[in-house]
């Protein structure tokens, strides 16, 4: 009964493994990493470490041997065409290794998005379904980290957050919440052929953001629309769907998702 995790030395993988250690013995956990040195802390926790590189199919089959459950953390490569090939390697190896249950970190409501990233996740999910291996799709909302592109510290300093005009909606989640939900799914039996939308229960707006910022700063931060703002993030955000929500995350974690105010705290210096 081994739980094998790829991308295990990354930020999400490490958080999931740390949560899993509260639920299953370390000797049932196998961390697959591309660079051995990054896995030292995992080895020190008693977790078995195996080499795996999405670009080297040979490494994958042996890495996945004996996996009752394989959590495939999507590749972090910046080129979605290369990512598609890497994902195909992982899926093929999972099939050859006779993985019993394949879990994949997808993106929330990907069918409603219109960027290469969302197409990649839809295609990967289809490829996984085509193997016939029982699957679970953990469709992650945008990590709250994107907030760092909005320069909140400057907003606090000036007492004003400048934003582009429009009715913007956002849905973001800290990795810690996703890790808690993923660990629950990995540690329990079942969850076969399920798709979970790991989003906040409600989207938030720029007004919600300035309210949270004002609370944290202890003084009012106003909101100003500014049509001259040029920031790549708004092009990206306009092509994903932040308005669709789900209670899946709350149900899997057994508690409400972290509030906006709490989740932005690590990104501001007061
Ligand atoms: N929902 C969102 O907002 C959002 C945002 C960013 C990313 N993501 C996706 O979520 C995933 C996990 O996020 P994260 O924060 O944990 O990312 P991360 O810290 O960058 O970790 C990515 C992990 O994937 C591994 N990896 C990359 N290329 C690989 C390859 N060719 N073969 C084997 N392993 C490889 C990395 O290994 P090395 O340490 O060797 O590089 C690392 O362990 C990302 O990979 C990305 O697909 C989602």
């Amino acid at each position: 009964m081994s739980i094998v995790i790829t991308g295990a030395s990354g930020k999400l993988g490490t958080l999931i493994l740390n949560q899993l250690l509260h639920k299953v013995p370390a000797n049932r956990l196998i961390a697959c990493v591309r660079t051995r040195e990054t896995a030292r802390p995992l080895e020190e926790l008693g977790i078995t470490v195996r080499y795996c590189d999405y670009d080297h199919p040979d490494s994958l089959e042996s890495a996945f041997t004996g996996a009752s459950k394989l959590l495939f953390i999507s590749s972090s490569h910046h080129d979605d065409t290369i990512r598609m090939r890497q994902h195909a390697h992982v899926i093929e190896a999972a099939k050859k290794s006779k993985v019993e249950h394949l879990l994949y970190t997808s993106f929330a409501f990907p069918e409603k998005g219109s960027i290469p990233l969302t197409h990649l996740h839809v295609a990967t999910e289809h490829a996984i379904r085509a193997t016939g291996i029982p699957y679970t799709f953990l469709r992650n909302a945008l990590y709250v980290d994107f907030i760092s592109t909005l320069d909140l510290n400057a907003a606090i300093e000036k007492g004003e957050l400048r934003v582009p005009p429009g009715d913007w909606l956002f849905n973001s989640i800290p990795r810690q919440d996703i890790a808690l939900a993923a660990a629950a799914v990995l540690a329990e039996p079942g969850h076969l052929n399920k798709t979970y939308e790991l989003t906040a229960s409600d989207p938030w707006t720029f007004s919600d953001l300035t309210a949270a910022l004002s609370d944290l700063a202890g003084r009012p931060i106003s909101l100003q629309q500014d049509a001259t703002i040029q920031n790549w993030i708004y092009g990206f955000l306009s092509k994903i769907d932040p308005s669709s929500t789900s209670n899946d995350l709350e149900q899997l974690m057994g508690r409400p998702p972290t509030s906006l105010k709490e989740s932005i705290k690590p990104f501001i210096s007061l």
Side-chain angles (χ1 to χ4, degrees), residues 9-144:
S9 56
K11 292 185 270 308
L12 182 63
T14 302
L15 287 168
I16 293 173
L17 279 165
N18 279 308
Q19 286 297 334
L20 273 173
L21 285 169
H22 297 297
K23 295 171 183 284
V24 297
N27 64 10
R28 276 188 55 204
L29 301 175
I30 298 172
C32 295
V33 300
R34 181 164 56 160
T35 326
R36 197 87 196 185
E37 299 80 67
T38 59
R40 291 256 158 72
L42 299 174
E43 278 176 317
E44 281 162 17
L45 293 168
I47 295 170
T48 301
V49 172
R50 290 180 182 167
Y51 166 69
C52 112
D53 187 333
Y54 301 157
D55 288 313
H56 295 114
D58 291 348
S59 71
L60 300 171
E61 222 181 303
S62 45
F64 301 161
T65 302
S68 316
K69 298 188 184 201
L70 169 63
L71 173 63
F72 166 25
I73 292 189
S74 52
S75 163
S76 53
H77 203 286
H78 57 88
D79 182 326
D80 287 304
T81 307
I82 294 173
R83 286 221 278 177
M84 197 64 246
R85 189 173 65 223
Q86 293 176 328
H87 287 192
H89 289 158
V90 174
I91 295 164
E92 208 176 335
K95 193 170 177 186
K96 283 189 188 155
S97 315
K98 303 196 175 1
V99 165
E100 292 167 29
H101 181 183
L102 177 53
L103 301 95
Y104 171 64
T105 61
S106 184
F107 194 75
F109 299 101
E111 304 88 350
K112 297 186 178 180
S114 57
I115 44 175
L117 169 90
T118 50
H119 301 320
L120 165 91
H121 286 295
V122 170
T124 304
E125 289 186 5
H126 278 299
I128 290 173
R129 279 200 186 91
T131 62
I133 303 172
Y135 64 84
T136 307
F137 298 142
L138 302 169
R139 290 176 158 187
N140 300 334
L142 204 56
Y143 298 157
V144 73

Side-chain angles (χ1 to χ4, degrees), residues 166-266:
D167 296 322
W168 291 90
L169 279 180
F170 306 91
N171 196 313
S172 61
I173 282 293
R175 281 186 197 76
Q176 285 88 342
D177 284 9
I178 294 170
L180 201 55
V185 172
L186 283 163
E188 292 168 3
H191 301 286
L192 301 182
N193 302 327
K194 300 265 193 221
T195 297
Y196 296 118
E197 305 285 355
L198 304 183
T199 70
S201 314
D202 297 298
W204 52 269
T205 62
F206 277 131
S207 298
D208 297 325
L209 180 60
T210 44
L213 273 182
S214 304
D215 266 8
L216 289 168
R219 57 182 184 279
I221 313 292
S222 68
L223 188 59
Q224 296 298 330
Q225 293 203 339
D226 177 351
T228 66
I229 285 181
Q230 302 228 331
N231 187 339
W232 66 271
I233 193 75
Y234 294 110
F236 173 86
L237 291 167
S238 65
K239 294 192 180 76
I240 59 172
D241 173 30
S243 58
S244 299
T245 58
S246 158
N247 290 325
D248 290 347
L249 180 61
E250 178 161 359
Q251 277 172 9
L252 290 170
M253 287 196 297
R255 65 153 171 84
T258 303
S259 69
L260 175 63
K261 182 176 154 187
E262 282 307 308
S263 63
I264 63 173
K265 263 188 190 170

